[in-house]
Amino acid sequence: MLRQWSVQAPGEPEPEPTGEELWEQEMERLCSSQEPVRVLPYAMVDKRFIRQLREPEGVKTSCWQQWHHRQQTARRRLGEAARRLARGCGLWEGALYEIGGLFGTGIQSYFTFLRFLLLLNLLTLLLTTSFVLLPLTWLRPPDRGPALNFTFQCPGGHQPQTGVPKFNNLLWNVLTSRAFNNTFLFYGAYRAGPESSSVYSIRLAYFLSPLACLLLCFCGILQRMVKGLPQKMFLGQDYRSPLSAKVFSSWDFRIQGQEAATIKKHEISHEFKVELEEGRHLLMVQHQTRVQRACHLLTYLRVNILIGLLVVGAISAIFWATKYSQDNKEESLFLLLQYLPPGVIALVNFLGPLLFVFLVQLENYPPNTEVNLTLIWCVVLKLASLGMFCFSLGQTVLCIGRNKTSCESYGYNACDYQCWEDSVGEELYKLSIFNFLLMVAFTFLVSLPRRLLVERFSGRFWAWLDREEFLLPKNVLDIVEGQTVTWMGLFYCPLLPLLNSIFIFLTFYIKKYTLLRNSRASPRPFRASSSIFFFQLVLILGLLLAAAPLGYVVSSIRSSWDCGLFTNYSAPWQVVPELVALRLPPPSQRILHYLGSHAFSFPLLILLSLVLTVCVSQSQASARAIRGLRKQLVWQVQEKWHLVDDLSRLLPEPGSGDSLGPESPHSRGSRPRSLCPGFPCPGSPGPRHPRPEPSLEDPAGLRGVPVPARRCRFPSGSEL
């Protein structure tokens, strides 16, 4: 009792809690915690003991609850085993592991990106096959029958074009899509009867399938983009993960084979290179003066203006090449003009980055700035070239921005294109074929001979030439271009995803061969999270570029009179109101009409604006709270340091005049070097080292400071 009511002296430190008190505190924490028992770092005997403690007293678990718990455990283990099996049997897992170990996670993310695109194309093909092809084959649509008798009023006695000259060469027919004219590869081969005579609407399925595929691809890309966001976007630009954590925790001690150990060493080495490169770039940016920043900004503007003029000239060349190839289809020029637009696009995309790099290198930019600036303009050039190609096709085929008699009468250039959807699909088909063939030709006709010559000969020139550098951004832009073309052709060429899936599958092995045999790794390392985010960002820009013209066509452009599913409709969209009037009762029709009216749109827009405002306000409030907590934590640590400084000044120095006789056991010299756990006293004996300043990534300033461990023992004998 006296000890309980005793008053502690002002200068006496608080007594440390005993082992029993620590045990009780830990048990109370474990019982009140909602953390699953299976993730706790204790032995199985201790986990069973903790589970018993969490059960309410006096309540016995019933047989049903025990059976339900066992079933949950069995399902969880079965799911984990299935996921491990899926990872082990996944597509290209061994190849991806080898590439990641030899060349780093940045290069590995490119091949993972190829696998992701393959899955997207297979999903798109599955949707198209399930909702369009199989029902169309099952319902047996009517025969094509005789052509509809239309009298086209063409100027100058010009008759509608019945087709370009055909050649008997089978390979040429495959390359120009003539071999697939009457197949389900193109829009014109799809036929269906009236909507009132069939239970299942092929037209509605054909109309909604491309839109559903684009929506699913958008959701998948967005999810992958959020998952691949760089960690620094959440932790702030000043956050730096300590290299010591990678040094002591990067190795996988389950590795037994020599080959796996070598691959893991290369992987850790690439991670260190990425960390050191980012740190060097950050130091260079921090040491720039205002004058240097101003000169850098002026140079940046001048280079961007020059590159912008080059991009304008490039897309103008694509426009005129596409227009010329569509306006001149005589027999003598047919062989040359078939692949003129894809050839010009490939030439622009090959010469453009070279000129960009030359202009940027003239200004002596840092390596990171040079790569980023070139990369941005390469993305702009790729997407702008595809956009100009689509616009040029639209101006020639649909007379966008042109006044023509056939366009005014029929909504499209009926004098030159009886089935304009097939013509657009053929152009996209040829562009996809040309991109793949160009990649194969460059690999085996340029990269392979270059590697053989460099290995065969020696000298200053061959040392300068060296092997081809595996440029990650260039390869990503090439594959994104092919995927964007595939999305553009979903309406005109529904089976184009099948062709693109074959191309991606072959591209994986061709690029793997190029990387392992013909190329050298890039001297600039890439972080996996940044690479994945960049890939998905460019891909989602390509998807939006493909969705914009598709939405315009299905909602506003007149379909062809003589082919396809929508011959009797002013636009493919008109099948939706027709089916609503045929299949739905009047109350449902009124509801849908109200949902599409302005009376519903304006309140919905106001509600969405309010919800968005609330979300933005909550996000800003959370950000302010996080900044305030960080500052508060730093202030608390600084206050503790001041208290330790004051305490060290109050303690008497050894050998001072106030100390009489021999030094007592409680004197300054016999005290421990640290009065408080984790806070070494600045006035302790020995050399006084500079105290680390607290920062946002290490608020307590305790990095590298040992903290004494406290142990409590479980019934099984394991220690905490």
Side-chain angles (χ1 to χ4, degrees):
M1 294 295 294
L2 292 176
R3 182 179 179 181
Q4 180 179 0
W5 294 98
S6 61
V7 180
Q8 183 179 350
E12 184 179 354
E14 296 182 0
E16 293 187 358
T18 61
E20 294 295 333
E21 294 176 353
L22 291 175
W23 165 260
E24 293 176 359
Q25 294 175 6
E26 183 64 17
M27 287 300 101
E28 291 178 0
R29 187 188 68 82
L30 291 175
C31 292
S32 60
S33 175
Q34 299 296 328
E35 190 176 8
V37 179
R38 62 187 179 90
V39 301
L40 296 176
Y42 302 131
M44 292 300 298
V45 179
D46 301 329
K47 291 182 179 180
R48 295 191 186 99
F49 178 70
I50 295 171
R51 186 179 289 110
Q52 293 176 2
L53 290 178
R54 288 186 178 184
E55 294 179 357
E57 297 182 0
V59 178
K60 186 177 181 180
T61 306
S62 62
C63 297
W64 165 255
Q65 292 177 345
Q66 294 179 1
W67 180 83
H68 183 65
H69 178 70
R70 287 195 297 268
Q71 292 296 320
Q72 284 184 341
T73 304
R75 285 195 297 268
R76 185 182 68 250
R77 292 177 180 175
L78 182 62
E80 293 175 354
R83 285 190 292 270
R84 287 196 299 268
L85 182 63
R87 286 195 299 268
C89 301
L91 184 63
W92 302 325
E93 285 292 337
L96 290 174
Y97 178 76
E98 180 184 5
I99 292 171
L102 295 176
F103 299 96
T105 55
I107 301 295
Q108 182 192 27
S109 62
Y110 165 72
F111 291 90
T112 308
F113 181 64
L114 284 177
R115 183 174 63 177
F116 173 70
L117 289 183
L118 178 61
L119 294 178
L120 284 184
N121 283 277
L122 292 178
L123 177 62
T124 303
L125 180 64
L126 179 63
L127 288 176
T128 305
T129 305
S130 302
F131 292 101
V132 179
L133 287 179
L134 292 181
L136 189 64
T137 306
W138 178 263
L139 294 176
R140 295 182 181 179
D143 296 334
R144 186 182 183 92
L148 299 177
N149 187 14
F150 289 109
T151 303
F152 293 94
Q153 301 294 332
C154 298
H158 178 70
Q159 296 300 321
Q161 183 178 352
T162 58
V164 294
K166 296 184 178 179
F167 297 87
N168 295 323
N169 191 336
L170 179 60
L171 178 60
W172 181 255
N173 290 335
V174 170
L175 294 179
T176 57
S177 74
R178 298 299 173 188
F180 309 105
N181 270 352
N182 297 321
T183 64
F184 285 139
L185 181 62
F186 294 108
Y187 165 86
Y190 293 81
R191 287 283 181 172
E195 292 298 328
S196 58
S197 62
S198 177
V199 178
Y200 185 83
S201 177
I202 298 294
R203 290 183 178 87
L204 183 63
Y206 191 94
F207 170 74
L208 293 179
S209 292
L211 303 180
C213 294
L214 291 178
L215 182 61
L216 288 178
C217 292
F218 178 79
C219 295
I221 296 170
L222 195 62
Q223 180 185 7
R224 192 175 173 89
M225 179 187 291
V226 173
K227 188 183 299 184
L229 280 176
Q231 190 180 16
K232 289 186 178 181
M233 295 185 65
F234 298 102
L235 300 176
Q237 295 294 330
D238 298 332
Y239 179 80
R240 296 287 298 170
S241 59
L243 285 176
S244 58
K246 292 185 177 297
V247 171
F248 294 106
S249 63
S250 295
W251 186 254
D252 187 359
F253 290 93
R254 296 174 297 178
I255 294 177
Q256 297 180 359
Q258 181 64 31
E259 182 180 359
T262 304
I263 292 176
K264 189 64 179 177
K265 290 178 183 177
H266 284 289
E267 181 180 352
I268 297 174
S269 174
H270 281 287
E271 291 181 0
F272 285 145
K273 290 178 182 178
V274 171
E275 290 286 345
L276 295 175
E277 178 67 20
E278 290 183 352
R280 187 183 67 84
H281 176 67
L282 184 62
L283 289 176
M284 290 177 58
V285 172
Q286 290 177 351
H287 287 81
Q288 283 185 348
T289 62
R290 292 184 178 179
V291 177
Q292 291 176 343
R293 292 177 182 175
C295 295
H296 178 78
L297 180 60
L298 293 176
T299 307
Y300 189 82
L301 292 176
R302 180 177 59 191
V303 171
N304 278 276
I305 291 174
L306 293 177
I307 295 179
L309 294 177
L310 288 177
V311 170
V312 172
I315 61 177
S316 300
I318 294 172
F319 171 78
W320 290 110
T322 307
K323 187 176 183 301
Y324 184 78
S325 67
Q326 295 296 319
D327 293 342
N328 299 274
K329 287 193 172 182
E330 292 81 4
E331 184 175 355
S332 59
L333 298 176
F334 176 69
L335 293 175
L336 177 63
L337 298 179
Q338 279 290 308
Y339 278 91
L340 179 61
V344 174
I345 292 175
L347 183 64
V348 163
N349 289 323
F350 176 74
L351 295 179
L354 296 180
L355 294 176
F356 298 164
V357 171
F358 175 73
L359 290 176
V360 172
Q361 287 180 348
L362 288 179
E363 305 296 340
N364 295 324
Y365 280 118
N368 286 288
T369 305
E370 176 182 331
V371 171
N372 294 333
L373 183 60
T374 307
L375 182 59
I376 291 173
W377 279 109
C378 288
V379 172
V380 172
L381 181 61
K382 283 279 186 181
L383 299 180
S385 61
L386 289 178
M388 181 53 66
F389 176 71
C390 292
F391 176 76
S392 180
L393 277 180
Q395 190 179 45
T396 305
V397 177
L398 304 177
C399 301
I400 298 177
R402 298 173 64 184
N403 295 323
K404 208 168 185 179
T405 306
S406 60
C407 295
E408 295 176 357
S409 303
Y410 310 107
Y412 64 97
N413 190 0
C415 293
D416 295 326
Y417 305 94
Q418 282 185 305
C419 189
W420 67 266
E421 291 90 349
D422 280 5
S423 299
V424 174
E426 290 173 4
E427 293 297 329
L428 296 175
Y429 171 89
K430 288 185 289 186
L431 184 58
S432 181
I433 289 283
F434 186 82
N435 289 336
F436 177 73
L437 294 179
L438 184 65
M439 185 268 297
V440 174
F442 190 83
T443 300
F444 294 103
L445 299 181
V446 177
S447 299
L448 180 59
R450 178 178 176 179
R451 190 257 299 179
L452 294 176
L453 291 174
V454 168
E455 290 179 352
R456 176 66 178 82
F457 300 101
S458 60
R460 183 176 301 178
F461 172 76
W462 301 107
W464 170 81
L465 184 62
D466 204 0
R467 295 186 178 187
E468 177 195 0
E469 181 181 344
F470 191 85
L471 297 175
L472 183 63
K474 176 185 177 299
N475 289 280
V476 171
L477 291 179
D478 291 339
I479 198 67
V480 168
E481 180 185 9
Q483 185 62 43
T484 305
V485 172
T486 301
W487 282 330
M488 287 179 175
L490 285 178
F491 185 79
Y492 319 102
C493 190
L495 295 185
L496 194 57
L498 174 62
L499 189 66
N500 196 40
S501 300
I502 299 174
F503 289 164
I504 292 176
F505 186 82
L506 297 177
T507 300
F508 183 91
Y509 291 101
I510 294 174
K511 289 298 181 181
K512 179 187 174 184
Y513 172 78
T514 302
L515 177 65
L516 297 178
R517 300 296 301 274
N518 298 337
S519 300
R520 56 185 172 89
S522 175
R524 180 178 183 266
F526 294 91
R527 183 181 293 275
S529 59
S530 303
S531 301
I532 292 174
F533 179 77
F534 166 71
F535 298 166
Q536 307 306 321
L537 179 60
V538 178
L539 189 60
I540 207 168
L541 291 177
L543 188 143
L544 295 177
L545 178 63
L550 178 60
Y552 174 72
V553 165
V554 300
S555 62
S556 305
I557 300 300
R558 178 69 170 84
S559 301
S560 297
W561 290 93
D562 196 27
C563 66
L565 293 169
F566 305 98
T567 54
N568 298 323
Y569 296 88
S570 59
W573 163 255
Q574 296 300 320
V575 70
V576 176
E578 179 185 359
L579 287 175
V580 168
L582 287 175
R583 306 289 175 84
L584 294 181
S588 301
Q589 295 181 25
R590 287 194 293 270
I591 292 175
L592 290 179
H593 284 304
Y594 174 72
L595 293 178
S597 63
H598 296 291
F600 177 77
S601 301
F602 287 124
L604 180 63
L605 181 61
I606 295 174
L607 180 62
L608 291 177
S609 301
L610 293 176
V611 172
L612 182 62
T613 303
V614 171
C615 292
V616 171
S617 301
Q618 289 182 350
S619 176
Q620 293 177 353
S622 300
R624 288 194 298 268
I626 291 174
R627 289 195 297 268
L629 290 174
R630 286 181 176 178
K631 291 180 180 180
Q632 183 179 358
L633 188 57
V634 172
W635 291 339
Q636 289 179 356
V637 172
Q638 291 177 351
E639 183 180 359
K640 289 181 180 180
W641 279 112
H642 287 305
L643 291 176
V644 172
D645 288 338
D646 295 340
L647 182 61
S648 63
R649 285 194 297 269
L650 291 176
L651 292 176
E653 294 291 338
S656 61
D658 298 337
S659 177
L660 300 176
E663 202 174 87
S664 64
H666 303 287
S667 64
R668 176 73 172 85
S670 61
R671 292 182 185 273
R673 295 176 62 89
S674 178
L675 296 177
C676 303
F679 292 94
C681 294
S684 57
R688 182 170 180 174
H689 300 284
R691 184 177 71 242
E693 292 294 336
S695 60
L696 294 179
E697 66 269 16
D698 187 19
L702 303 180
R703 182 177 296 171
V705 181
V707 180
R710 299 176 179 177
R711 299 179 179 179
C712 59
R713 191 176 297 276
F714 279 99
S716 63
S718 60
E719 293 181 347
L720 174 65

